[in-house]
């Protein structure tokens, strides 16, 4: 029996109604992420990344041109998925093809159980759940596993080298972490799921709560593949992540920070903001920009935000807080002002739903 199946047995034993998940299989592996033979038709529609404002937590919706969806994390446990479900409903998302659990902390999986319940009973289901296989002793994690078992949802324990499959051949989601043979098998953050998303010539990296030790490992194992456009800042913009060497290798045009305005942890930390500013990395913070939509045509990214706020990392805290209600109709705003960090003006995009963001710009 391989290591991943052994891990899954351990996960199931945490469920209060402990049983066996009959539909659990090892994740498929496909390391081919090249796009040389990608049909042109795959670029007819944009790929979208929706960073949902869930306060001191994470939740990201990805919509491929094929209409397939990936949800990476789901917000904190007190909210119980309400904000994310409202957003998904506003965008008429009928199915979650891939539900990615970066790790088991409650501020990342707090809405998982409710989302699984809703989509398995009221919508068109959950395609599969992708988990690191490291369990967490918490009520939120127990509810999450219970929902998987009760609704017979496919659960994959994933590891470095796996590809999360999309029908759209231009879209690639490659798992870069956890390692196959982890030196810290019980460490939630160290074994968190890191996803590299590529669409044509554009790319984005999602690192969950990865700290400096994970970043060092990623540099050693994948340094040549880590030149990305968008970087979802590790651990909500904590100084324990986003090391100088990591940022220098990534060389992102923009970073996305998901944390509360008055974070009890002080996120994003001043050290991280200074590091972004030193490298002219435009910073988008959910607490002041609100929910954001990044779109790629395969060559460039455009961004729309709920409010028109600065992207200067050192001036972010001077901006007012935006309410964490992404399903509410936004107020019309002016386009984001041009900055030397690469954000320039773009014609304002018409809102396509009540929750669409409206202040727009292009990332060169």
């Amino acid at each position: 029996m391989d290591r991943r199946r052994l891990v899954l047995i351990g996960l199931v034993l945490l469920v209060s109604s402990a049983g066996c998940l009959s539909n659990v299989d090892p994740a498929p592996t496909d390391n081919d992420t090249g796009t040389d033979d990608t049909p042109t038709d795959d670029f007819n529609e944009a790929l979208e990344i929706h960073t949902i404002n869930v306060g001191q937590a994470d939740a990201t919706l990805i919509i491929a041109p094929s209409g397939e969806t990936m949800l990476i994390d789901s917000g904190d446990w007190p909210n119980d998925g309400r904000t994310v479900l409202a957003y998904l409903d506003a965008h008429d998302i009928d199915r979650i093809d891939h539900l990615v659990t970066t790790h088991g902390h409650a501020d990342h999986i707090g809405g998982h159980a409710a989302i699984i319940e809703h989509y398995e009973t009221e919508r068109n289901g959950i395609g599969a759940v992708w988990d690191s296989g490291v369990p967490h002793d918490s009520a939120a994690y127990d509810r999450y596993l219970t929902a998987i078992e009760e609704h017979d949802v496919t659960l994959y324990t994933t590891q470095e080298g796996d590809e999360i499959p999309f029908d759209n051949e231009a879209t690639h989601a490659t798992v870069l972490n956890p390692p196959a043979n982890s030196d810290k098998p019980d460490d939630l953050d160290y074994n968190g799921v890191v996803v590299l998303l590529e669409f044509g010539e554009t790319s984005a990296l999602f690192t969950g709560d990865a700290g400096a030790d994970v970043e060092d490992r990623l540099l050693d194992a994948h340094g040549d593949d880590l030149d990305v456009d968008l970087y979802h800042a590790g651990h909500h913009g904590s100084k324990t992540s986003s090391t100088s060497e990591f940022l220098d290798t990534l060389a992102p045009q923009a970073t996305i920070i998901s944390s509360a305005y008055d974070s009890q942890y002080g996120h994003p930390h001043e050290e991280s903001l200074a590091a972004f500013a030193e490298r002219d990395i435009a910073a988008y913070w959910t607490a002041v920009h609100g929910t954001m939509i990044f779109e790629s045509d395969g060559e460039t990214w455009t961004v729309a935000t709920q409010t028109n706020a600065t992207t200067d990392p050192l001036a972010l805290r001077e901006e007012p807080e935006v309410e964490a209600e992404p399903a509410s109709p936004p107020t019309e705003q002016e386009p984001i002002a041009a900055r030397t960090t690469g954000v320039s003006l773009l014609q304002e995009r018409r809102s396509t739903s009540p929750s669409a963001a409206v202040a727009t710009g292009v990332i060169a």
Side-chain angles (χ1 to χ4, degrees):
M1 185 176 291
D2 65 21
R3 174 183 174 274
R4 285 193 279 175
R5 187 170 292 277
L6 283 170
V7 170
L8 279 174
I9 292 174
L11 286 175
V12 174
L13 290 177
L14 285 180
V15 182
S16 57
S17 57
C20 191
L21 294 181
S22 60
N23 61 337
V24 175
D25 294 304
T29 301
D30 183 354
N31 294 321
D32 180 12
T33 59
T35 58
D36 292 343
D37 299 322
T38 300
T40 304
D41 289 346
D42 287 331
F43 295 97
N44 286 345
E45 300 291 338
L47 177 139
E48 300 178 1
I49 297 174
H50 299 235
T51 305
I52 305 172
N53 182 13
V54 287
Q56 186 60 36
D58 268 339
T60 303
L61 171 68
I62 296 166
I63 306 175
S66 55
E68 292 168 280
T69 59
M70 174 186 289
L71 181 65
I72 303 177
D73 294 335
S74 61
D76 208 353
W77 66 269
N79 186 262
D80 195 27
R82 289 188 295 273
T83 297
V84 175
L85 282 170
Y87 190 82
L88 296 174
D89 185 64
H91 284 267
D92 197 25
I93 303 299
D94 192 53
R95 176 177 171 83
I96 302 298
D97 294 291
H98 309 289
L99 177 59
V100 176
T101 303
T102 60
H103 63 294
H105 286 145
D107 59 327
H108 291 258
I109 64 160
H112 272 39
I115 289 169
I116 291 169
E117 171 72 22
H118 178 76
Y119 272 83
E120 287 294 317
T121 60
E122 304 294 332
R123 290 285 195 163
N124 200 25
I126 305 287
V129 175
W130 301 75
D131 190 292
S132 71
V134 180
H136 187 42
D137 185 14
S138 71
Y141 199 81
D142 185 76
R143 289 194 298 271
Y144 154 56
L145 290 183
T146 299
I148 288 173
E149 184 179 34
E150 288 183 349
H151 296 286
D152 199 28
V153 175
T154 299
L155 171 65
Y156 294 130
T157 50
T158 189
Q159 63 186 29
E160 179 180 24
D162 290 340
E163 183 163 331
I164 302 175
F166 282 87
D167 287 341
N168 177 268
E169 295 184 28
T171 306
H172 298 272
T174 307
V175 176
L176 303 185
N177 202 68
N181 296 297
S182 177
D183 294 333
K184 306 174 184 179
D186 299 322
D187 189 319
L188 281 171
D189 289 345
Y190 185 78
N191 295 287
V193 178
V194 173
V195 177
L196 173 64
L197 180 69
E198 297 171 290
F199 180 63
E201 299 300 317
T202 61
S203 56
L205 186 69
F206 305 90
T207 62
D209 278 357
D213 53 355
V214 178
E215 294 178 355
D216 288 344
R217 199 199 73 76
L218 291 173
L219 289 173
D220 289 341
H222 304 285
D224 293 340
D225 299 321
L226 292 180
D227 182 9
V228 301
D229 306 318
L230 303 179
Y231 164 53
H232 192 111
H235 210 163
H236 315 282
S238 170
K239 63 184 177 182
T240 61
S241 306
S242 303
T243 62
S244 294
E245 185 178 2
F246 194 62
L247 290 180
D248 289 342
T249 299
L250 295 183
Q253 295 159 16
T255 186
I256 303 166
I257 303 167
S258 182
S259 67
Y261 192 78
D262 293 315
S263 165
Q264 64 266 47
Y265 309 106
H267 297 154
H269 289 149
E270 295 299 332
E271 293 88 340
S272 299
L273 295 175
F276 299 145
E278 182 181 351
R279 292 161 178 80
D280 277 342
I281 300 170
Y284 292 86
W285 183 19
T286 54
V288 299
H289 291 98
T291 293
M292 297 165 273
I293 303 174
F294 295 84
E295 288 190 359
S296 169
D297 62 3
E299 295 183 356
T300 59
W301 290 97
T302 59
V303 58
T305 62
Q306 261 187 299
T307 61
N308 183 23
T310 183
T311 58
D312 181 349
L314 299 183
L316 282 179
R317 293 196 179 278
E318 300 173 9
E319 298 287 350
E321 180 181 12
V322 62
E323 190 175 1
E325 292 291 343
S328 303
T331 304
E332 288 291 328
Q333 300 289 333
E334 293 297 318
I336 295 174
R339 278 181 17 87
T340 57
T341 54
V343 178
S344 59
L345 297 181
L346 180 72
Q347 180 179 350
E348 184 169 277
R349 175 156 50 91
R350 183 185 301 275
S351 296
T352 56
S353 77
S355 58
V358 294
T360 62
V362 62
I363 300 175

